Amino acid sequence: MTTASLLSVATAVPPHVLRQGEVAKAAAAVYADRLPDFERLSAVYHSAGIERRHAVRPLEWYLEDRDWPDRTEAYCEGAGQLFIEAARGAIAKAGLEAEDIHTVVTISSTGISTPSLEARAAGELGLASHARRIPVFGLGCAGGAAGLAIAARLAMATPGAPVLVVAVEVCTLAFRMDKADKANLVATALFGDGAAACVLRAGGGGVATILGSGEHMWTGTLDIMGWQVDPQGFGVIFDRAIPPFARTNLPEAFASLLASCDWDGNPIDRVLCHPGGRKVIEAVEEALQLPTGQLDHERAILRDYGNMSAPTVLFVLARALSRGLPARTALMALGPGFTASCVLLGGP
């Protein structure tokens, strides 16, 4: 059976840098007098394992009242630029031209744009007029792994035709000054903006092979993660802690994921995961019985970029590729639903 090959991975971040200490000071000015127990909760700025993040707007922009039109304008502009930069990088690394791309899969859950982002970017990017477009909304943090799996299946359906997948998120648009609660505080301590793009094609070559993919969704878990929508924009939902859930439920689910990937039982050399936060990384290591500290790529990406939702696990993949991807790698991300998405990668 023809397998899909990963030809390239490229990443992009916006120009504004949010240093964690500066964000913590700004948050204190906004929340300290309005949020009970602020002093204790604000420890998240120091314990999250993040030093800096990138944003589509400077820090001062987020400290003013913003509504849907403001956030949508920032999303369309910022996400559009990130889309083009990441896509160009991936296409060039694959040795292709934009007009060679047969299908474009766009993964994004942090804004709404119609026409969708790939349509807005098509002219400047140089996509062919007959390129297929598949915008996907709602996958959240699982979107990087799930999008890679979708692109791999599409590549296998059209052997020889390059498929571009772009995961782009502007998570900082969820910073809310109007609501002083724990979920919003945590969002301002974790979220950053970025994009990652991959090119896949069936038929060999490239930097890795997609051996299989799978998903596992737990019922009755809609309250763990998601968006609530109101006149100001998206508001983050963190109604249940993810680390204890992962410790309890991930081991059995991971075994199920590998089975759905047609895993042949050979040892998994490396697990790469979406670094949702320092405690999430630690929970994954414990749940999967990995050596403490093994998820070093994840910690480095979290430190330098924060949680960018869907693109983050592809940043981890890019870092792993630059340092030599092991022969058998499981790429996994957790997201709303509550869902685990997994892609099994092999050598080229």
Side-chain angles (χ1 to χ4, degrees), residues 18-38:
L18 304 180
R19 303 195 180 280
Q20 193 74 324
E22 296 172 355
V23 178
K25 289 180 181 178
V30 172
Y31 293 127
D33 295 334
R34 301 161 54 209
L35 178 59
D37 207 15
F38 171 81

Side-chain angles (χ1 to χ4, degrees), residues 24 54 59 67 76 84 90 105 119 148 164 179 199 235 239 251 280 326 341:
H54 295 77
L59 180 59
D67 57 15
C76 290
I84 291 170
V105 180
L148 186 62
L164 170 70
K179 289 187 176 182
V199 176
D239 286 349
V280 174
S341 295

Side-chain angles (χ1 to χ4, degrees), residues 4-5 21 25 32 66 73 75 89 99 112 128 132 168 183 185 194 204 219 230 238 244 253 259 294 297 330:
S5 296
K25 289 180 181 178
R66 299 293 174 186
E73 180 183 1
Y75 173 78
E99 63 185 15
I112 297 173
R132 275 69 164 177
V168 54
L185 184 73
T219 58
D230 60 37
F238 290 142
Q294 184 179 95
H297 297 321

Side-chain angles (χ1 to χ4, degrees), residues 219-296:
T219 58
T221 57
L222 299 181
D223 60 338
I224 292 183
M225 179 191 295
W227 293 133
Q228 58 185 10
V229 182
D230 60 37
Q232 296 297 316
F234 289 133
V236 68
I237 296 173
F238 290 142
D239 286 349
R240 268 203 273 172
I242 296 172
F245 183 89
R247 287 189 183 93
T248 302
N249 296 280
L250 190 55
E252 182 179 353
F254 187 65
S256 172
L257 285 168
L258 291 180
S260 64
C261 289
D262 295 325
W263 180 43
D264 58 12
N266 287 323
I268 299 297
D269 299 307
R270 180 64 185 248
V271 173
L272 301 176
C273 77
H274 166 69
R278 180 182 61 82
K279 291 182 179 180
V280 174
I281 295 173
E282 293 171 354
V284 172
E285 284 179 337
E286 183 178 335
L288 302 185
Q289 298 183 334
L290 304 175
T292 301
Q294 184 179 95
L295 299 181
D296 54 343

Side-chain angles (χ1 to χ4, degrees), residues 143-155 165 200 210 212-215 341-343:
L148 186 62
I150 291 169
R153 291 194 292 271
L154 291 170
V165 56
L200 298 95
I210 309 298
S213 63
E215 291 191 1
S341 295
C342 183
V343 178

Side-chain angles (χ1 to χ4, degrees), residues 163-182:
V163 177
L164 170 70
V165 56
V166 183
V168 54
E169 302 289 11
V170 188
C171 298
T172 59
L173 296 180
F175 291 177
R176 298 287 295 271
M177 301 301 108
D178 59 309
K179 289 187 176 182
D181 58 32
K182 180 180 178 181

